[in-house]
Amino acid sequence: MFKNVIVKTPCKAVTQGITSAPELGQPDYSLALKQHAAYIEALKQCGVSVTVLPADESFPDSCFVEDVAVITPKCAIVTNPGAATRNQETKAIVPVLKQFFPEDKIEYITAPGTLEGGDVMMVGTHFYVGRSARTNEEGIKQFIAILEKHGLTGSEVPLTEVLHLKTGVNYIENNNMLVAGEFITKAEFAQYNKIVIPQSESYAANCIWVNGTVIVPCGYPTVEKAVKDAGYPVILVDTSEFRKIDGGLSCLSLRF
Ligand code: GLY
């Protein structure tokens, strides 16, 4: 169960966030703020305490706070984002993590290693790590060594088609995994009960499990039905403005 969630308010510069889909247009800032507020309300409905960090205009993508740290049951790991414009976002998360963890439970990925939290999927005490354009071999090596130091395990999952691992695969507990695109047939996930997402709704592979409820993005009826059919209560949250800059539900929070 999660007790805490950290989110970061979108800054005005969110309109300039990195995107692989410029055809969707720039995010509407005021709508992004409203959607972010609704996201916080959905999280609160799931019984977590939400820490809301202030917007930081220096970093357009900084609302995607998941990428700057990975929080495990045993320790917090400050990442080293592979995106140049995001790399220094980690500085602001360190003092926040110190409010929750003693210094000996805060670890760091360092150069030449790179790693972004969107590439890390927790399944119990095991962590799958996507080797992506943002997360490199050295970052994964450091990350797995940190996990093992704390009695946890990790393994690499290569990916080629999407930004982050969790862009296309998300674990929603009870052995259930939402899979889209290149992750549908990966041997690494053969042991799970796969909920296969059609290409037309692949964005909605990025749902989050929070204390028994699954938060699903608005506008993806096949995924909404599949998650309900799997037995979960669902809360819908509109993330249209974050989708325009390759962001989804998991990217917007750290849950622990
Ligand atoms: N725009 C989100 C990211 O590229 O990290």
Side-chain angles (χ1 to χ4, degrees):
M1 296 292 271
F2 296 129
K3 286 187 187 152
N4 294 295
V5 172
I6 297 171
V7 300
K8 187 155 183 153
T9 305
C11 60
K12 292 193 184 78
V14 72
T15 56
Q16 308 303 317
I18 305 168
T19 184
S20 63
E23 70 278 6
L24 297 177
Q26 289 184 341
D28 176 306
Y29 179 57
S30 61
L31 185 52
L33 284 180
K34 280 189 194 136
Q35 291 180 349
H36 197 258
Y39 178 71
I40 292 170
E41 283 314 305
L43 290 165
K44 286 181 177 167
Q45 278 183 51
C46 299
V48 292
S49 170
V50 183
T51 299
V52 183
L53 307 179
D56 183 345
E57 288 298 336
S58 307
F59 299 108
D61 288 295
S62 53
C63 59
F64 301 126
V65 71
E66 174 178 70
D67 289 317
V68 298
V70 175
I71 303 186
T72 80
K74 301 284 179 66
C75 62
I77 303 166
V78 180
T79 67
N80 190 32
T85 59
R86 304 202 56 193
N87 185 264
Q88 296 300 305
E89 284 178 29
T90 52
K91 286 196 173 140
I93 202 70
V94 174
V96 182
L97 295 176
K98 285 182 180 170
Q99 292 170 25
F100 295 95
F101 295 90
E103 301 224 6
D104 66 340
K105 298 287 182 199
I106 302 178
E107 306 274 3
Y108 298 83
I109 303 296
T110 56
T114 65
L115 187 134
E116 297 191 0
D119 277 320
V120 178
M121 178 170 68
M122 180 174 75
V123 179
T125 56
H126 187 79
F127 292 73
Y128 292 97
V129 193
R131 185 164 165 188
S132 70
R134 303 280 185 88
T135 294
N136 66 15
E137 186 179 6
E138 169 63 20
I140 295 172
K141 191 174 135 206
Q142 291 179 22
F143 185 74
I144 292 176
I146 292 166
L147 291 174
E148 289 177 352
K149 176 180 155 189
H150 291 274
L152 305 166
T153 57
S155 59
E156 176 183 320
V157 182
L159 60 101
T160 55
E161 292 173 9
V162 289
L163 173 61
H164 287 131
L165 180 69
K166 284 186 292 192
T167 308
V169 55
N170 284 271
Y171 186 61
I172 55 171
E173 304 297 326
N174 304 321
N175 208 45
N176 294 321
M177 190 170 275
L178 298 166
V179 288
E182 65 189 298
F183 302 107
I184 295 171
T185 54
K186 288 255 189 232
E188 290 89 335
F189 304 134
Q191 73 209 75
Y192 299 103
N193 174 36
K194 288 188 275 186
I195 299 173
V196 175
I197 296 184
Q199 190 57 33
S200 57
E201 295 195 16
S202 61
Y203 173 77
N206 189 256
C207 293
I208 52 172
W209 177 97
V210 187
N211 298 344
T213 294
V214 177
I215 304 180
V216 176
C218 280
Y220 302 90
T222 308
V223 177
E224 179 186 344
K225 181 173 183 315
V227 173
K228 284 180 176 163
D229 287 350
Y232 297 95
V234 162
I235 301 178
L236 296 176
V237 173
D238 195 352
T239 53
S240 66
E241 302 317 291
F242 302 102
R243 183 185 177 200
K244 292 174 180 173
I245 51 168
D246 298 338
L249 288 163
S250 78
C251 320
L252 287 167
S253 62
L254 287 164
R255 305 163 295 283
F256 58 104

